[in-house]
Amino acid sequence: MQKFFFFLTAPLLLIACQTQDSTPLYQGENFTLFYDRVEQGEYTAQVHSPFHITSDYQSPANATFPNFIEFKFAINGKDNELPVGINHTFLLTPGDDGTIQLPLLTFGEKHEVEEKATPNGSIAPNTPLLIQVDASAIIKAFSEQGFYETYSGQKIYKEDYKGIYIAGNLSPLGWDFDNLAGRTDRELKDDNGDGIFEITLALNPYNPDDFTAKEWQLEHNISSYPQLTSSVPLLDALYNLALDETEMNIEADGTFRTGEEWPGVWTRDVSYSILLAYAFTNPEVAKTSLMRKVKNDRIIQDTGTGGAWPVSSDRTTWALAAWEVYKVTGDEAWLKTIYPIIKNSVDDDFRTLKDNRSSLIKGESSFLDWRKQTYPDWMNGVDIFESRCLGTNAVHAQTYSILAQIAELLGENSQPYQLESEKVKQAINKELWMEDKGYYAQYLYGRNKLMLSPRSEALGEAFTILFDIADNTKSQQLIENTPVLDYGIPCIYPQIPDMPPYHNNGIWPFVQAYWNWACAKAEHTAALEQGLAGMHRAAALFLTNKENMVAENGDFRDTEVNSNRQLWSVAGYLSSVYRIFAGLRFELDGLHIKPFIPQSYGSEMTITNLKYRSANIDLSIKGYGSKIKSCTVNGQASLAIIPPSATGDYKVVIELDNTVDAESSKPVNSNRFSLKTPRLAYDRNKLTWNSIEGATDYQVVRNGKLMQTTGNTEYICDVSDYYHEYCVKAINGQNESFMSAPVTILPATSLSIDASKLGDAGSIRANGFNGDGYIELSKDLNTTISASVSVNKAGKYLVQARYSNGSGPDNTDNKCAIRTLHVNGQKAGVMVMPQRGKDEWSNWGNTNLVKVDLQKGNNEISLTFESYNNNMNRDINTALLDELMIIPEQ
């Protein structure tokens, strides 16, 4: 049937292409979209039929491979050899035998022949590179004192040692320290025990996956899906490609896989995909997939920094998807199923994540869970838990609104959740809106006093429009002002220097899809056309819906990780047709249809076989624009709404008013990188920091307030009886850095409680504790510990604990330890103890600071394990506790 259809339509397609061949659909700086093809430089993707596309695209990275390398060694795979921003640097020259050997290096030291250079040549594929490092000082330190101390003063204990790894800028290396440990292909070996570790790398490795497929032809039966016919052959073919890849992503067990390289169901991936498209096209697969991410009647947070929830806190994306499935299907049983799951999850989040001062929610940026890609290097899991992120807060605001609506439908009390939704929306506008930039800030970050990171965050910006957080004025401002690049909207802007593309310096098609949807809702034609062009370009040239691409060149190869037919990228493309061109919006009173078709996309579009509950809809859209001139349903003038009770066949014909948005414009930005982050040191009341290239001045901040702007690299601190937290930021007229890692100055009146006096030691062995020992906190041991604290003055104090958690790596897994702090019988807050390294029980760090009010004299402080302190693992919730610190705040 499909081949027969091709032969019938091919002559018509040829005639249409002949008349449209020279008229660009969209003209970018580096690529051009035509009705039947995409051209980028010497490469062309050509549509031959709705079921056949060819492309001769090759990654530019295949042509040249620079002969300049930067790299670092890493004990246990962590960035601990040299200070941030300082790397080993060599211009590479192959020997007569075609191999490259660098001089013997010493761990922690730069070699005298190292140079910072511009590449002046290319390395042939599979060129061997031998790298050797003398690490005998590490082995000697382990033998003589039991630990090795890094440049930063961190002690790495012998029993925690896993090996020495290498990270760098040239393939097969990468800068992903978070996933470096355990990569045997990047581990140096000392086979003869002389303290010299070495590795041989094959530079410029040839990989067939670096080349795109040359053609796509439909493989699967897509007749059950809505069928698209338009005056743009490129659109029709890419839509069918997305349906083909949808079928590839459905597993035998009736769930969605996350992508070609990513088996299984992931909470946020599947949820964002379902909201974009699959609640409508595949509701049963959506239901099955969502229920796979439920445990103990709660949503699973399956990935995230330091052991997932509560450091990563966007699991409520699940609620967005589950609610959309209900609005599409009207399935009452489904509604009753999802209500307790969402409610239980939200109630636990309230107890753990809510900042009562601001009403914002704590935790990692939604989906941006590769911490060094979007956070300053110094931020660990505790710091990320304390951040207040735009996208995550937008998701929670929408979740509370959804929960309120479900509660009302089921006759439950909806008011608390609706009130909470409004509080979070107001807080986002109060705390994160930047009037000078005209869009929202990425997050608040710091330790005790939080500061604004003025980067844009594309997914969060889109959500503020889609979830009615931004009013009409703000919506227009942020569409006009949020930076976009020629190839699309980057996840964040500006980019972080010395960080490889992934979330940083990356464009993600699913994020682009939400941005496009927001542009359509705001009726901003120019921004929409630019965003649609980026999606069409990538899908056509790559002949698949890739996971991500490099922001500055639009290529897929040099991102840290990538996959074909990434689920949310596929759903993102489908959303172009369903959410924008057709304008489908599912509400409790029915299916609303409000098309938005830019003029360049032609004058006629038909989508048949749209299924909504018991109705089968054929939709015909004539004209262009975003305003409906007329609508008929089965030949009768009507509103463009299909009621939930509709049954049978419906023929909907919508005529748009052909309005051109003459005032709409959206400039494309050049890609930009922020200044590097200063490294701050403190000694004898003096702060000092390194000079930053490109900086004209430095801002010294104390407790969140600007103290001085100076061209110097030092500052004299005030002596105080209270907690002080200093940071420094590099600036110039157009740019700035992240704030430096805070330097905390504790007053002499701070108190320390040796935890070894508060409970049983347990069975886990560790070194590096401060007092006489430590105690083990688990679900069975020391579930409640108490201490009496006497202070001379009533007032505000900060409570912090020194802990270790070796239950897993610091970038993933699900074993973040959590305890509730009580003061004088009242809950004061939650302490989180994220994972710090698998089996690294001597790797100590501090928890978040909890603000408390203490009375003069004795105060009772306790740490307890409450039911809502259960993490996503539920079985392992373990940490070692070294000491409790009581610090006067003011």
Side-chain angles (χ1 to χ4, degrees):
M1 177 64 73
Q2 288 161 351
K3 290 182 179 179
F4 178 66
F5 177 72
F6 164 66
F7 288 125
L8 285 177
T9 58
L12 297 176
L13 180 62
L14 180 61
I15 294 171
C17 290
Q18 287 172 341
T19 61
Q20 300 168 341
D21 184 69
S22 60
T23 305
L25 189 68
Y26 175 86
Q27 181 66 63
E29 293 179 359
N30 297 288
F31 66 95
T32 307
L33 260 64
F34 295 92
Y35 286 80
D36 66 337
R37 67 190 186 280
V38 176
E39 295 180 357
Q40 181 177 317
E42 61 185 298
Y43 304 120
T44 300
Q46 180 69 54
V47 175
H48 300 280
S49 84
F51 313 110
H52 185 202
I53 313 171
T54 58
S55 173
D56 59 5
Y57 179 83
Q58 290 188 14
S59 166
N62 295 322
T64 61
F65 192 88
N67 66 335
F68 175 73
I69 191 170
E70 295 189 61
F71 62 89
K72 273 184 178 179
F73 303 111
I75 302 174
N76 294 345
K78 296 181 179 179
D79 188 358
N80 51 23
E81 184 206 5
L82 296 165
V84 174
I86 298 179
N87 307 318
H88 295 291
T89 54
F90 290 93
L91 201 63
L92 301 175
T93 303
D96 294 338
D97 60 354
T99 65
I100 302 171
Q101 181 170 346
L102 299 182
L104 176 64
L105 302 174
T106 300
F107 188 93
E109 299 179 12
K110 295 270 287 183
H111 196 280
E112 61 182 10
V113 303
E114 293 189 37
E115 60 177 328
K116 184 79 173 179
T118 301
N120 60 11
S122 182
I123 299 297
N126 299 317
T127 297
L129 169 66
L130 175 63
I131 299 176
Q132 297 174 303
V133 61
D134 183 349
S136 56
I138 299 174
I139 306 304
K140 182 180 180 182
F142 285 157
S143 175
E144 293 181 354
Q145 57 193 34
F147 63 86
Y148 173 77
E149 188 167 341
T150 70
Y151 74 91
S152 65
Q154 178 194 7
K155 294 179 180 178
I156 300 173
Y157 285 85
K158 180 179 180 180
E159 58 266 31
D160 288 351
Y161 174 73
K162 307 288 190 311
I164 298 175
Y165 298 80
I166 185 171
N169 68 318
L170 293 183
S171 182
L173 299 179
W175 287 114
D176 175 20
F177 288 100
D178 281 341
N179 293 286
L180 188 57
R183 288 289 302 265
T184 56
D185 59 327
R186 299 182 191 177
E187 183 179 3
L188 288 83
K189 296 292 187 181
D190 176 15
D191 291 333
N192 60 9
D194 63 354
I196 308 298
F197 290 70
E198 66 178 48
I199 189 171
T200 300
L201 304 168
L203 293 181
N204 195 9
Y206 174 79
N207 186 344
D209 292 339
D210 293 339
F211 301 83
T212 59
K214 295 185 181 299
E215 69 175 346
W216 165 78
Q217 294 190 79
L218 182 68
E219 295 182 23
H220 297 83
N221 183 358
I222 58 173
S223 61
S224 63
Y225 291 92
Q227 302 296 300
L228 171 68
T229 306
S230 75
S231 49
V232 182
L234 177 67
L235 177 62
D236 297 351
L238 291 177
Y239 172 75
N240 290 330
L241 166 63
L243 292 180
D244 201 25
E245 294 197 316
T246 296
E247 285 294 295
M248 297 180 197
N249 282 334
I250 299 176
E251 302 280 40
D253 63 356
T255 62
F256 286 116
R257 70 181 287 128
T258 303
E260 183 180 69
E261 302 295 329
W262 309 113
V265 184
W266 293 6
T267 303
R268 68 172 67 96
D269 297 62
V270 77
S271 298
Y272 282 140
S273 303
I274 289 168
L275 179 57
L276 283 167
Y278 293 135
F280 168 54
T281 60
N282 302 79
E284 293 306 316
V285 181
K287 289 179 184 177
T288 303
S289 299
L290 288 171
M291 292 308 296
R292 192 63 59 86
K293 307 310 298 181
V294 175
K295 186 176 182 180
N296 194 40
D297 280 337
R298 284 162 174 79
I299 306 163
I300 297 171
Q301 184 88 46
D302 49 15
T303 61
T305 298
W309 189 86
V311 175
S312 194
S313 58
D314 68 340
R315 60 176 174 163
T316 50
T317 51
W318 190 97
L320 278 58
W323 174 240
E324 195 71 10
V325 169
Y326 170 72
K327 289 192 294 182
V328 169
T329 63
D331 185 343
E332 294 288 341
W334 175 249
L335 190 71
K336 293 176 181 177
T337 297
I338 66 175
Y339 177 64
I341 296 169
I342 300 172
K343 185 178 185 301
N344 291 339
S345 302
V346 164
D347 288 348
D348 283 353
D349 284 352
F350 278 166
R351 297 183 181 103
T352 306
L353 304 172
K354 183 181 176 182
D355 173 21
N356 290 317
R357 180 193 63 82
S358 69
S359 292
L360 290 174
I361 295 297
K362 302 178 182 183
E364 198 159 32
S365 292
S366 183
F367 111 87
L368 301 174
D369 62 337
W370 198 335
R371 61 188 175 94
K372 291 185 181 179
Q373 284 281 327
T374 48
Y375 289 93
D377 182 80
W378 55 265
M379 287 182 69
N380 57 31
V382 171
D383 299 316
I384 291 174
F385 167 76
E386 282 293 337
S387 65
R388 323 290 201 259
C389 302
L390 175 63
T392 298
N393 273 275
V395 166
H396 277 266
Q398 184 70 354
T399 297
Y400 306 152
S401 176
I402 287 169
L403 187 55
Q405 293 178 74
I406 299 175
E408 188 168 341
L409 288 172
L410 297 178
E412 302 286 344
N413 183 11
S414 64
Q415 187 174 5
Y417 300 111
Q418 190 57 52
L419 180 63
E420 200 63 39
S421 177
E422 293 305 318
K423 284 182 179 179
V424 177
K425 289 180 179 181
Q426 291 170 13
I428 290 172
N429 283 300
K430 178 183 177 183
E431 303 284 347
L432 296 174
W433 176 255
M434 299 183 294
E435 191 65 43
D436 60 326
K437 293 185 179 294
Y439 51 83
Y440 293 92
Q442 180 185 14
Y443 48 66
L444 296 168
Y445 70 117
R447 293 261 162 87
N448 184 41
K449 300 292 185 180
L450 302 186
M451 299 154 289
L452 201 71
S453 172
R455 281 177 168 81
S456 66
E457 191 252 286
L459 186 62
E461 309 290 349
F463 284 165
T464 63
I465 295 176
L466 295 173
F467 301 158
D468 297 319
I469 295 167
D471 59 23
N472 290 336
T473 300
K474 282 188 172 67
S475 295
Q476 291 299 320
Q477 283 183 277
L478 76 86
I479 292 289
E480 292 166 4
N481 294 311
T482 300
V484 300
L485 307 178
D486 188 38
Y487 296 105
I489 188 165
C491 293
I492 61 171
Y493 187 94
Q495 315 304 331
I496 302 173
D498 296 330
M499 185 62 58
Y502 187 59
H503 295 140
N504 183 66
N505 199 18
I507 293 171
W508 288 61
F510 98 90
V511 174
Q512 184 73 66
Y514 277 105
W515 174 254
N516 294 350
W517 190 1
C519 292
K521 182 177 179 181
E523 299 188 0
H524 200 295
T525 304
L528 176 60
E529 288 182 308
Q530 196 272 345
L532 289 170
M535 293 194 70
H536 297 333
R537 180 205 72 89
L541 288 174
F542 306 157
L543 293 177
T544 185
N545 290 279
K546 282 282 190 182
E547 181 177 356
N548 51 65
M549 65 201 79
V550 180
E552 57 192 348
N553 64 16
D555 189 38
F556 62 86
R557 170 169 160 170
D558 284 334
T559 63
E560 285 291 276
V561 180
N562 218 321
S563 175
N564 293 335
R565 57 180 164 88
Q566 191 75 3
L567 184 70
W568 50 16
S569 300
V570 181
Y573 191 88
L574 294 176
S575 74
S576 302
V577 174
Y578 304 142
R579 299 299 194 178
I580 297 171
F581 295 133
L584 303 184
R585 193 177 84 247
F586 299 93
E587 302 294 352
L588 295 179
D589 65 346
L591 169 58
H592 294 238
I593 306 174
K594 190 179 184 299
F596 190 172
I597 300 181
Q599 183 179 9
S600 56
Y601 283 84
S603 59
E604 190 162 354
M605 184 177 295
T606 301
I607 307 175
T608 61
N609 200 33
L610 291 166
K611 290 181 169 57
Y612 171 61
R613 301 193 182 184
S614 298
N616 188 62
I617 305 163
D618 289 346
L619 172 63
S620 178
I621 307 167
K622 300 179 180 180
Y624 55 83
S626 61
K627 294 181 173 56
I628 296 175
K629 180 178 180 181
S630 66
C631 175
T632 62
V633 177
N634 291 338
Q636 301 296 315
S638 173
L639 295 174
I641 302 175
I642 306 299
S645 59
T647 60
D649 296 330
Y650 283 73
K651 294 190 178 298
V652 179
V653 179
I654 292 177
E655 185 177 354
L656 300 176
D657 69 352
N658 292 347
T659 297
V660 177
D661 187 359
E663 297 182 359
S664 175
S665 65
K666 180 61 181 174
V668 171
N669 300 77
S670 58
N671 202 21
R672 184 159 61 88
F673 290 78
S674 63
L675 298 177
K676 293 183 179 180
T677 306
R679 301 186 305 276
L680 192 59
Y682 174 74
D683 184 46
R684 298 179 182 178
N685 295 336
K686 180 190 285 190
L687 292 174
T688 57
W689 56 90
N690 58 312
S691 177
I692 299 298
E693 181 181 358
T696 57
D697 290 290
Y698 303 91
Q699 292 180 340
V700 180
V701 175
R702 186 183 74 189
N703 297 338
K705 294 182 179 181
L706 178 63
M707 301 302 294
Q708 186 181 86
T709 299
T710 176
N712 298 323
T713 56
E714 62 180 40
Y715 178 83
I716 303 300
C717 302
D718 295 332
V719 177
S720 174
D721 292 333
Y722 300 103
Y723 175 96
H724 276 350
E725 183 175 283
Y726 284 92
C727 297
V728 170
K729 178 168 66 175
I731 61 172
N732 60 30
Q734 299 79 35
N735 211 344
E736 63 182 57
S737 71
F738 279 126
M739 286 288 184
S740 69
V743 165
T744 58
I745 303 174
L746 304 183
T749 52
S750 299
L751 301 176
S752 175
I753 302 171
D754 187 345
S756 67
K757 309 295 192 294
L758 305 179
D760 296 329
S763 59
I764 299 174
R765 301 273 70 85
N767 287 309
F769 46 87
N770 282 344
D772 293 333
Y774 52 84
I775 61 173
E776 180 182 335
L777 305 179
S778 72
K779 294 188 67 173
D780 302 313
L781 188 64
N782 299 316
T783 56
T784 298
I785 60 170
S786 299
S788 182
V789 176
S790 180
V791 295
N792 294 326
K793 182 180 179 181
K796 297 186 179 300
Y797 290 77
L798 301 169
V799 180
Q800 188 175 50
R802 188 170 189 259
Y803 82 98
S804 72
N805 182 347
S807 298
D810 62 358
N811 65 312
T812 185
D813 211 345
N814 58 7
K815 304 182 186 75
C816 178
I818 313 162
R819 294 298 182 273
T820 298
L821 177 71
H822 292 86
V823 175
N824 297 325
Q826 299 296 315
K827 178 186 173 183
V830 168
M831 280 188 170
V832 298
M833 293 168 264
Q835 300 162 183
R836 295 182 58 85
K838 184 172 175 55
D839 298 324
E840 294 182 28
W841 292 103
S842 298
N843 183 348
W844 299 92
N846 293 329
T847 67
N848 53 308
L849 294 155
V850 180
K851 299 175 186 289
V852 302
D853 290 309
L854 296 184
Q855 61 194 18
K856 183 178 179 180
N858 288 331
N859 296 265
E860 192 72 16
I861 293 178
S862 65
L863 273 182
T864 63
F865 180 75
E866 306 289 347
S867 60
Y868 57 85
N869 295 149
N870 272 302
N871 56 26
M872 296 296 105
N873 182 272
R874 299 197 69 81
D875 294 326
I876 298 174
N877 197 315
T878 301
L880 301 183
L881 190 68
D882 180 23
E883 63 179 337
L884 287 171
M885 293 163 281
I886 317 297
I887 309 163
E889 184 187 19
Q890 65 180 48

